[in-house]
C-alpha cells in the first residue's frame, strides 16, 4: 500500500539531518572555474584562427566551435569527459563541449545495437531536448524581432 | 513449523554447499578483492559489449560454484536467477547456456536473497534436491538501463550509489556443509515517497527496517542473537536511516550492522555513497560472509538484501520509488 502524504512528509523531515547536503558553494566555484577555463581555451583558439588563418572576429567562431566539439568528443571517447563532468557539474555541461559530450556518449553507448537503430536513432537522446528548445526559443525571438522591426 | 507468523520461513534441513563469485576491476581492488573466485581487470570482461560482459560474469559465477561442488549442470534441478536489466536478460541467456530448468525472478537488488530464499524453500519442501541461485549486475549496463550513457558527463550527488560489477551464485541442497540456511523473511513493498533515483539508500531504508523488525518479531529473536545483520546496498546514506528507524521500534543494531555497499569498496574509491546492485549483496555474501561462516568466524548472520524497484519511466511520471527487502538467516554448522 502506498503511504499517505503525511507519512511521506514526516519521513522526509526525519531523514533530512541524516542526508549529506549538496556543497552548493563549492560546486558553483568549481563550475565557474571549469566553465571559464573552457571559454579561455575557446578564446585562445579564436585568436589562433584569426592570427594564423586569416579569419575575422565574425568568421572565427565556426572553426573555434568545431575544434572545441572535436576535443570534447575525443575526451568523451577516451573516458575523460565524464570525470571532468563529475568535478565541474554545469561548468562542463553548459558550454558547447557539454553538447558534444551528450551526443558522443549516446553514440558510443548505442554502438552495440548497430549504426542505424543504435547510433543514428539514439544520437540525440540527451541532446534532443536542447535542439527542440533551442529551435522553439529561436523561433519565438525571431518573430518578436521581426514584429518590432516591422511595426516600431 | 515451516511458516512462522505471516512472512517468515523456517528451514529444517537446507545447506549452502558452495558459492561462486566473479567481479569487475573496481571490486577486485576493493577490500574484499582476495575473496572473489574470478576477477576481470577490464570492465568489458573481454567481451564485445556491456551486456555480454554481465552475462560472462554470471556464467563464471555459476561455473565456479559448480566446479567447487564437483558437479555439472545436469546435477542441478533448478536455476533461480535474476538481474537488473529489462526482461532479466543476463539470467535468461545464462539459463539458455546451462540448460538447467529455469525460474527467472526480479526483485531489483533484493534478488540475491529472494532467489536464495526461494531456492532454499524448494529444497526444504522436497521439490528440489539441488538448486543454484544466481544474480548479476554490471555498472555500465545499469547506467544505461536506469540513468545516462556511461560516458555522459552529468554530475551525480553524494547520495548516489555505484552499481557493483559482478555476479554471485550459490548451490543449495540438503547435503550437509558448514553453512546452514535456517530461515528467511519475505519483505513487503514499502514506499515513503522518495522520488530521487540518485538517493536509493533513503528510499530502501524503510523496507529494510520493516523486514528486520518482522523477522525478529516472528522468530522471537533479538538483534543481539546475530553476529551480523548485513544489509544489501543501503550505502552511507541509508544505513544511518535504517538504524534510526529501528531505534524507534526499540531495536538496536548499531553494534552488529554492516552494509555490503560499504564493505565492497574502500572509502577512497570513487563510488559516491557506496556500492549497489544485485551483485553488491551477492559478492559480499557469497564471496566473503559465507567463507567466514564456513570457518566458524561468524556463527549466525542475517543477510537483508534491499531492492529499489526503480523504473525510469515511472520516475519521469513523478511516481515515487517502491522498495523491498528480503532476509535470509545463515548459520555455521559443524559437518558430520
Amino acid at each position: 500500500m502506498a503511504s499517505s502524504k503525511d507519512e511521506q512528509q514526516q519521513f522526509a523531515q526525519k531523514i533530512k539531518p541524516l542526508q549529506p547536503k549538496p556543497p552548493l558553494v563549492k560546486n558553483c566555484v568549481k563550475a565557474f572555474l571549469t566553465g571559464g577555463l573552457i571559454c579561455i581555451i575557446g578564446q585562445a583558439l579564436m585568436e589562433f584562427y584569426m592570427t594564423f588563418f586569416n579569419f575575422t572576429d565574425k568568421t572565427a567562431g565556426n572553426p573555434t566551435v568545431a575544434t572545441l566539439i572535436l576535443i570534447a568528443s575525443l575526451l568523451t571517447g577516451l573516458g575523460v569527459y565524464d570525470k571532468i563532468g563529475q568535478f565541474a557539474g554545469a561548468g562542463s555541461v553548459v558550454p558547447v563541449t557539454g553538447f558534444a559530450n551528450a551526443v558522443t556518449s549516446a553514440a558510443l553507448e548505442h554502438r552495440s545495437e548497430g549504426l542505424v537503430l543504435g547510433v543514428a536513432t539514439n544520437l540525440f537522446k540527451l541532446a534532443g531536448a536542447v535542439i527542440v528548445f533551442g529551435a522553439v526559443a529561436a523561433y519565438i525571438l525571431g518573430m518578436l524581432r521581426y514584429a518590432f522591426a516591422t511595426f516600431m | 513449523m515451516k511458516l512462522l507468523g505471516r512472512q517468515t520461513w523456517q528451514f529444517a534441513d537446507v545447506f549452502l554447499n558452495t558459492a561462486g563469485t566473479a567481479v569487475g576491476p573496481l571490486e577486485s581492488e576493493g577490500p574484499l578483492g582476495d575473496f572473489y573466485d574470478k576477477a576481470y581487470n577490464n570492465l568489458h570482461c573481454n567481451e564485445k559489449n556491456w551486456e555480454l560482459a554481465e552475462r560472462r560474469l554470471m556464467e563464471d559465477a555459476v561455473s565456479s560454484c559448480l566446479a567447487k561442488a564437483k558437479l555439472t549442470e545436469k546435477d542441478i534441478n533448478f536455476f533461480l536467477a535474476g538481474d537488473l536489466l529489462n526482461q532479466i536478460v543476463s539470467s535468461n541467456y545464462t539459463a539458455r547456456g546451462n540448460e538447467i530448468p529455469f525460474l527467472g525472478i526480479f526483485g531489483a537488488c533484493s534478488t540475491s536473497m529472494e532467489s536464495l530464499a526461494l531456492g532454499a524453500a524448494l529444497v526444504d519442501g522436497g521439490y528440489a534436491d539441488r538448486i543454484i541461485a544466481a544474480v548479476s549486475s554490471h555498472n555500465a549496463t545499469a547506467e544505461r538501463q536506469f540513468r545516462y550513457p556511461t560516458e555522459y558527463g552529468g554530475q551525480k550527488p553524494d547520495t548516489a550509489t555505484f552499481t557493483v560489477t559482478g555476479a554471485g551464485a550459490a548451490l543449495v541442497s540438503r547435503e550437509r556443509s558448514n553453512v546452514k540456511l535456517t530461515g528467511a523473511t519475505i519483505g513487503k513493498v514499502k514506499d515513503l515517497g522518495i522520488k530521487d533515483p540518485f538517493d536509493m539508500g533513503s528510499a530502501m531504508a524503510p523496507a529494510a527496517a520493516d523486514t528486520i523488525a518482522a523477522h525478529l518479531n516472528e522468530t522471537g529473536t533479538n538483534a543481539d542473537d546475530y553476529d551480523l545483520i548485513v544489509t544489501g546496498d543501503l550505502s552511507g546514506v541509508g544505513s544511518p536511516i535504517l538504524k534510526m528507524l529501528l531505534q524507534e521500534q526499540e531495536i538496536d543494531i548499531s553494534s552488529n550492522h554492516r552494509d555490503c555497499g560499504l564493505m565492497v569498496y574502500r572509502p577512497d574509491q570513487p563510488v559516491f555513497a557506496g556500492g549497489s546492485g544485485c551483485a553488491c549483496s551477492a559478492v559480499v555474501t557469497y564471496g566473503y560472509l559465507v567463507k567466514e561462516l564456513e570457518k566458524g568466524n561468524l556463527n549466525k548472520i542475517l543477510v537483508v538484501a534491499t531492492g529499489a524497484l526503480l523504473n525510469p519511466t515511472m520516475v519521469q511520471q513523478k511516481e515515487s520509488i517502491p522498495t523491498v527487502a528480503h532476509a535470509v538467516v545463515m548459520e555455521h554448522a559443524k559437518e558430520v
Side-chain angles (χ1 to χ4, degrees):
Chain A
M1 198 187 82
S3 51
S4 72
K5 271 256 160 355
D6 274 1
E7 265 182 297
Q8 294 187 2
Q9 269 168 3
Q10 251 180 8
F11 181 66
Q13 284 291 325
K14 221 162 41 179
I15 64 172
K16 216 167 185 183
L18 295 173
Q19 287 180 308
K21 304 215 169 13
L24 285 177
V25 176
K26 202 170 119 194
N27 280 351
C28 285
V29 172
K30 286 199 281 192
F32 178 77
L33 290 177
T34 319
L37 182 69
I38 293 172
C39 295
I40 291 173
I41 294 170
Q43 188 64 40
L45 283 168
M46 210 161 155
E47 299 289 336
F48 169 79
Y49 283 118
M50 275 154 46
T51 316
F52 295 101
F53 289 99
N54 291 330
F55 283 98
T56 66
D57 57 351
K58 282 222 166 68
T59 55
N62 285 335
T64 303
V65 169
T67 312
L68 283 173
I69 289 175
L70 176 69
I71 295 171
S73 301
L74 284 175
L75 288 177
T76 304
L78 295 169
V80 180
Y81 204 91
D82 58 329
K83 298 194 172 70
I84 300 175
Q86 182 56 40
F87 172 81
S92 60
V93 170
V94 174
V96 71
T97 50
F99 189 80
N101 165 253
V103 175
T104 315
S105 63
L108 281 172
E109 189 77 11
H110 294 281
R111 180 67 190 87
S112 64
E113 293 115 88
L115 270 177
V116 177
L117 294 177
V119 176
T121 308
N122 291 293
L123 203 55
F124 293 102
K125 200 166 126 181
L126 297 167
V130 181
I131 294 179
V132 169
F133 286 107
V136 170
Y139 175 80
I140 293 172
L141 283 176
M143 291 307 268
L144 283 174
R145 184 166 179 264
Y146 179 74
F148 275 104
T150 316
F151 303 112
M152 305 277 283
Chain B
M1 278 297 275
K2 286 192 189 296
L3 181 68
L4 296 176
R6 180 183 176 198
Q7 61 195 96
T8 300
W9 294 333
Q10 195 172 41
F11 304 131
D13 203 21
V14 190
F15 295 86
L16 192 154
N17 297 109
T18 59
T21 47
V23 295
L26 209 58
E27 293 71 24
S28 67
E29 290 162 16
L32 304 177
D34 296 338
F35 291 94
Y36 307 127
D37 297 318
K38 180 141 196 173
Y40 287 93
N41 61 8
N42 63 87
L43 200 55
H44 268 107
C45 307
N46 309 330
E47 293 287 345
K48 260 197 324 210
N49 60 52
W50 304 126
E51 283 71 19
L52 285 174
E54 181 173 338
R55 196 192 306 171
R56 158 77 40 226
L57 289 165
M58 191 185 258
E59 287 168 357
D60 285 342
V62 172
S63 42
S64 59
C65 186
L66 282 169
K68 282 185 202 173
K70 299 191 177 66
L71 294 171
T72 67
E73 285 85 352
K74 291 200 164 53
D75 301 314
I76 310 299
N77 297 116
F78 303 107
F79 177 54
L80 287 80
D83 55 85
L84 295 178
L85 303 187
N86 281 347
Q87 290 86 39
I88 52 169
V89 284
S90 305
S91 311
N92 297 343
Y93 283 82
T94 305
R96 179 183 74 178
N98 64 27
E99 292 193 318
I100 307 172
F102 170 59
L103 287 165
I105 49 179
F106 181 81
C109 312
S110 70
T111 312
S112 56
M113 288 307 117
E114 185 181 3
S115 57
L116 189 66
L118 282 171
L122 287 178
V123 170
D124 201 40
Y127 294 101
D129 290 328
R130 293 194 194 99
I131 66 101
I132 284 185
V135 291
S136 66
S137 61
H138 190 291
N139 186 270
T141 58
E143 286 296 310
R144 183 228 270 274
Q145 179 91 66
F146 296 104
R147 296 175 196 106
Y148 297 114
T150 35
E151 297 300 336
Y152 178 62
Q155 193 175 35
K156 286 185 186 168
D158 293 333
T159 50
T161 48
F162 188 88
T163 307
V164 168
T165 301
L171 178 83
V172 176
S173 78
R174 282 184 295 276
E175 290 153 38
R176 287 190 72 89
S177 77
N178 289 120
V179 181
K180 189 170 190 194
L181 304 175
T182 55
T185 297
I186 304 301
K188 295 196 280 279
V189 174
K190 300 296 269 185
D191 183 347
L192 283 172
I194 302 289
K195 291 180 179 166
D196 182 2
F198 289 112
D199 184 11
M200 299 201 292
S202 301
M204 294 188 294
D210 189 73
T211 300
I212 292 170
H215 177 82
L216 297 179
N217 180 26
E218 296 190 332
T219 53
T221 49
N222 291 316
D224 312 337
D225 296 336
Y226 299 88
D227 293 338
L228 287 178
I229 293 179
V230 186
T231 47
D233 50 2
L234 292 182
S235 75
V237 179
S239 298
I241 298 176
L242 170 70
K243 284 177 203 165
M244 182 193 69
L245 292 173
L246 286 175
Q247 201 73 57
E248 284 175 359
Q249 306 179 51
E250 286 166 7
I251 297 167
D252 183 14
I253 59 162
S254 52
S255 58
N256 55 356
H257 172 255
R258 301 284 294 277
D259 185 70
C260 296
L262 299 173
M263 296 164 81
V264 69
Y265 296 117
R266 288 192 316 270
D268 60 323
Q269 285 180 304
V271 295
F272 309 101
S276 64
C278 297
C280 184
S281 51
V283 298
V284 172
T285 306
Y286 298 152
Y288 171 67
L289 295 172
V290 162
K291 290 191 179 89
E292 292 292 294
L293 283 165
E294 277 169 359
K295 284 184 224 154
N297 292 347
L298 290 171
N299 203 30
K300 184 180 188 185
I301 64 169
L302 182 69
V303 182
V304 189
T306 41
L309 306 168
L310 170 71
N311 176 298
T313 309
M314 301 309 289
V315 168
Q316 280 169 358
Q317 291 175 356
K318 310 278 182 270
E319 292 277 350
S320 50
I321 305 169
T323 60
V324 68
H326 303 298
V328 173
V329 188
M330 304 183 189
E331 289 184 47
H332 172 73
K334 286 187 188 66
E335 235 168 333
V336 280

